[in-house]
Amino acid sequence: MTNSESHIKNAAGSIIAVTSILSIGYAILRYHIVGPVPWSEFPFFILNKGISLAAFILLTFNFALGPLNNLGVKVSEQWLNARAALGMTGFLLVFIHALISFMLFNPEVFGKFFEENGHLTLMAGLSMLGGIVSFVVLWVMNLSFKTDLKEDKAFIRFITSRKFLLVAMLFAIAHIFFMGYKGWMEPSDWHGGLPPISLVAFSFCTVGYVINLIGRK
């Protein structure tokens, strides 16, 4: 392994580790330490929130660092070279988040997303739609980097294009918005005055989306 490869690996590992620790730490602080959620909920429910935040931050790093550099903000080469690893790790965390959420998604845990008759509310349905579409798009993009079939070149160019990426992230942002926007409007109910994780993720992704929109060449 060359020195350059070592630096790249170390940069990606450090970014992933710090992002994951801070995201999960924020979830613990907000829900357990200053919030009322019992620690028995940590292994699945609260950990899932931290995982989702880390996933969206890493994906934002993946698609926004290059455009940010294009806008004249100096981004370290180690960070730029770590983008592929950040994107793959972000996708893996999204997959874990989706799996855990699927197992938890019922009226007892997410009562606000269900009508009295057991059907999903409109906002919950829109959130689920956004989440599913963005997950499938990210999955297809991830697969596209692992094929070298000549007959797929036109399709590969399309699904790795700027427009396709922007659509994918727009659905992801919509998923976050419809999932949590009602709680954003009531700061008095925020645990310890700390913003909901969905709001933190939404803000981070939205800033990254705008950077990508104006800075990608």
Side-chain angles (χ1 to χ4, degrees), residues 8 13 16 21-22 40 43 54 57 83 87 97 107 112 132 142 150 155 158 173 193 212 214 217:
I8 293 172
I16 292 167
I21 291 171
L22 290 178
S40 60
I57 290 176
R83 285 175 294 174
H97 167 63
K112 65 180 180 179
I132 291 171
N142 186 57
K150 293 181 179 179
F155 179 67
F158 169 68
I173 291 172
N212 192 288
I214 63 178
K217 294 181 178 179

Side-chain angles (χ1 to χ4, degrees), residues 10-32:
N10 289 338
S14 298
I15 296 168
I16 292 167
V18 171
T19 299
S20 299
I21 291 171
L22 290 178
S23 298
I24 295 173
Y26 185 78
I28 291 173
L29 174 64
R30 186 178 191 275
Y31 292 97
H32 292 312

Side-chain angles (χ1 to χ4, degrees), residues 10 16 20 52 59 146 177 200:
N10 289 338
I16 292 167
S20 299
S52 67
L59 288 173
K146 300 177 182 179
F177 176 80
V200 176

Side-chain angles (χ1 to χ4, degrees), residues 36-211:
V37 180
W39 281 94
S40 60
E41 298 284 352
F42 173 73
F44 227 52
F45 185 56
I46 301 304
L47 180 61
N48 188 39
K49 291 180 178 293
I51 289 174
S52 67
L53 179 58
F56 284 115
I57 290 176
L58 291 176
L59 288 173
T60 301
F61 281 151
N62 170 259
F63 75 81
L65 288 178
L68 184 63
N69 194 60
N70 294 338
L71 291 173
V73 178
K74 181 61 178 177
V75 179
S76 166
E77 283 295 325
Q78 293 185 17
W79 280 64
L80 291 174
N81 290 329
R83 285 175 294 174
L86 300 182
M88 292 178 64
T89 304
F91 175 76
L92 176 61
L93 293 180
V94 166
F95 179 78
I96 295 172
H97 167 63
L99 181 61
I100 294 177
S101 296
F102 177 77
M103 297 175 69
L104 288 173
F105 200 67
N106 60 69
E108 287 72 28
V109 178
F110 292 99
K112 65 180 180 179
F113 298 132
F114 290 86
E115 303 283 4
E116 291 184 0
N117 60 9
H119 293 170
L120 289 176
T121 64
L122 174 61
M123 295 300 102
L126 291 173
S127 177
M128 294 302 102
L129 177 63
I132 291 171
V133 172
S134 62
F135 175 80
V136 171
V137 171
L138 289 171
W139 176 64
V140 172
M141 289 186 69
N142 186 57
L143 289 180
S144 71
F145 292 106
K146 300 177 182 179
T147 180
D148 56 1
L149 297 178
K150 293 181 179 179
E151 59 268 27
D152 288 341
K153 285 187 176 180
F155 179 67
I156 297 303
R157 281 197 300 270
F158 169 68
I159 62 177
T160 56
S161 67
R162 176 175 180 264
K163 290 182 179 180
F164 197 76
L165 174 62
L166 290 175
V167 169
M169 295 314 300
L170 189 60
F171 274 105
I173 291 172
H175 166 68
I176 301 171
F177 176 80
F178 289 116
M179 178 65 71
Y181 81 95
K182 287 186 177 180
W184 306 348
M185 308 301 177
E186 301 174 355
S188 60
D189 292 336
W190 294 358
H191 303 320
L194 298 176
I197 280 182
S198 58
L199 178 56
V200 176
F202 176 83
S203 301
F204 207 91
C205 288
T206 300
V207 171
Y209 188 87
V210 173
I211 290 173

